[in-house]
Amino acid sequence: GQYPDGSEVVNELTYLALEAYENLNTPDPKLSIRFTPRTPARLTRRVADLIRRGYNSFVLMNDVPAVEALVQRGKTLEDARFYLPIGCYEPTVEGKEVGCTMNITVNLAKGVELALNDGLDPLSGQQVGPHTGDPRHFTTFEQVFDAYTQQMDALLARTLGLMRAHEATWPQVNPSPLIAATIDDCLARGRDIGQGGAHYNSVGCVGAGLANAGDALLAVKEAVFEEGRLEMGELLDALAGNYEGQEATRQYLLNRVPKWGNGHPQADRMARRVADYYCDTIHTFENGRGGGCQAALFTLTVQWTFGQLTGALPDGRKAHEPLAPGVGAAHGQDKQGVTALLESVTQLDFTRTPNGAVLDVMLHPSAVRGPEGLDAFVSLIQTFFARGGYACQFNV
């Protein structure tokens, strides 16, 4: 990482910590490695070598978009450089910010399901979203995307109201004078952390299932409106029946329509359109402590819990199946290799995710074996960061 003046933090203690981690051979705690354009190659090779040998409880973060994202949300450059990753990969300014980095987690794919059902949740039978029209009468894809954003707008507005209501009770339910006493601004203002006493008072809004949302919308666009392979009614019937008796249709949607994570321009544009909409919308919100809301794109365990609550989607995914992890491809859909995956993911503008984002990468041991394998692994990490990637985690 770096100090507030921009100078490099890496020193011999860095390498001693890595040596201790290797000797302990423990998966917990996770280690965060912040990379800058000045990070020594020695550090990159040391971390890559540990990961490929199974010491892989690392998150690798790119300071270039991370710092710029914080600056765009009102932090000074000096404060932004002195961030710490809270939990996993959510930057928070040390000593000055109360981040609440996962107060909101939303399902980006659920908006597609609601848009295709006029706001009705087919799994619960409840009208959880606004009426945005019967999609059987839509004549253009833009009507579908407009319905999607309306559904997400309503979901986000309702969630924001709940978050503000819960924040209002924080000082009474969980006063935190000890933490407040460690923050200069809380002392100067005489206010607890739950009362907005810190210099920066943000709330993280995590968007999950980016690949599923983008792939599902592209499937509707291509299969219904561009190729005319399916009538909208046929697609909706297949989804309502969870593709029972419609396996040929499902296989077409699953394997013939381009998917995020393969360097395909149309899939990449759709995923970025969803991500840009989401981040721009979140950044119009103010939380209950007088601070801003900050967008993030990752999943943790909600890829499973949200998946269980999401019906069949036009990307070929069946009801209740997991959503895609982080900003990566849907499960099994990154078929063109890791370089194509990185090409897609780095189409996103990660200066719009000040609350963090992460790509999970799976590599076969043969890909990183020996001196040449280590060189390739280091190049992969460096390329991801050079192209503006935010954070990555590896399993070999």
Side-chain angles (χ1 to χ4, degrees):
Q2 55 189 312
Y3 290 109
D5 64 2
S7 59
E8 185 68 49
V9 169
V10 176
N11 53 44
E12 286 307 305
L13 184 58
T14 305
Y15 298 100
L16 287 172
L18 295 176
E19 181 180 346
Y21 169 69
E22 181 179 11
N23 290 337
L24 289 170
N25 191 21
T26 175
D28 188 33
K30 176 186 287 187
L31 300 187
S32 305
I33 311 292
R34 290 176 45 190
F35 288 85
T36 76
R38 301 171 303 282
T39 297
R42 174 191 172 194
L43 179 63
T44 309
R45 293 186 69 84
R46 174 66 166 131
V47 171
D49 185 51
L50 283 168
I51 292 172
R52 71 173 182 165
R53 292 190 290 114
Y55 306 93
N56 61 349
S57 191
F58 285 97
V59 58
L60 314 184
M61 299 185 64
N62 184 3
D63 266 20
V64 174
V67 170
E68 176 59 25
L70 295 176
V71 170
Q72 288 187 16
R73 302 312 305 156
K75 276 79 171 178
T76 66
L77 177 59
E78 292 75 16
D79 285 348
R81 286 170 173 163
F82 208 48
Y83 77 83
L84 291 175
I86 296 294
C88 297
Y89 18 71
E90 306 101 296
T92 304
V93 179
E94 180 173 9
K96 289 189 174 182
E97 183 172 12
V98 175
C100 300
T101 59
M102 287 190 66
N103 260 23
I104 297 176
T105 308
V106 296
N107 183 347
L108 297 175
K110 192 69 178 180
V112 180
E113 186 180 17
L114 296 176
L116 294 178
N117 288 277
D118 195 23
L120 181 76
D121 177 10
L123 295 186
S124 68
Q126 297 179 358
Q127 186 73 32
V128 299
H131 290 286
T132 49
D134 184 347
R136 288 176 174 81
H137 299 151
F138 291 168
T139 57
T140 68
F141 172 72
E142 290 307 312
Q143 291 176 289
V144 177
F145 196 85
D146 183 59
Y148 171 70
T149 57
Q150 288 184 56
Q151 294 295 338
M152 291 301 301
D153 285 347
L155 186 155
L156 293 172
R158 186 165 64 249
T159 305
L160 180 69
L162 294 170
M163 181 268 294
R164 285 176 170 169
H166 123 257
E167 282 197 314
T169 67
W170 187 358
Q172 290 75 45
V173 173
N174 189 25
S176 309
L178 181 59
I179 296 176
T182 69
I183 299 176
D184 289 342
D185 287 271
C186 288
L187 292 173
R189 297 171 178 175
R191 295 164 69 182
D192 203 346
I193 59 172
Q195 298 170 315
H199 191 77
Y200 303 115
N201 298 280
S202 58
V203 159
C205 303
V206 182
L210 173 64
N212 305 97
D215 290 349
L217 288 166
L218 183 60
V220 176
K221 184 174 186 286
E222 288 210 352
V224 175
F225 294 101
E226 292 184 353
E227 297 178 0
R229 186 179 181 91
L230 294 171
E231 296 289 338
M232 180 64 86
E234 293 178 302
L235 175 61
L236 296 177
D237 289 344
L239 297 176
N242 199 24
Y243 292 109
E244 291 297 325
Q246 299 286 336
E247 188 60 20
T249 296
R250 190 179 84 89
Q251 288 298 324
Y252 174 81
L253 295 169
L254 192 64
N255 295 306
R256 296 299 181 184
V257 178
K259 295 290 188 291
W260 168 251
N262 294 284
H264 193 284
Q266 284 184 279
D268 293 352
R269 282 194 295 270
M270 188 63 74
R272 171 144 183 180
R273 187 178 183 185
V274 172
D276 286 350
Y277 152 75
Y278 174 72
C279 294
D280 289 347
T281 302
I282 291 300
H283 293 155
T284 66
F285 295 159
E286 183 177 292
N287 63 49
R289 292 172 290 128
C293 294
Q294 300 187 150
L297 293 168
F298 55 83
T299 52
L300 302 181
T301 59
V302 298
Q303 63 175 294
W304 294 286
T305 54
F306 279 175
Q308 291 169 359
L309 299 171
T310 305
L313 293 174
D315 60 353
R317 174 194 160 278
K318 285 190 170 184
H320 311 298
E321 290 183 349
L323 300 181
V327 293
H331 294 285
Q333 289 301 320
D334 47 336
K335 299 178 179 180
Q336 299 301 314
V338 67
T339 54
L341 176 63
L342 266 57
E343 182 180 349
S344 286
V345 172
T346 53
Q347 298 300 313
L348 300 177
D349 181 358
F350 287 109
T351 66
R352 296 187 178 195
T353 57
N355 195 63
V358 72
L359 172 66
D360 295 315
V361 180
M362 313 298 173
L363 297 173
H364 193 274
S366 63
V368 293
R369 185 176 296 142
E372 291 183 355
L374 181 58
D375 290 341
F377 196 4
V378 169
S379 294
L380 190 71
I381 295 168
Q382 292 173 334
T383 299
F384 180 65
F385 290 154
R387 290 177 59 89
Y390 191 97
C392 53
Q393 301 174 141
F394 292 92
N395 282 311
V396 176

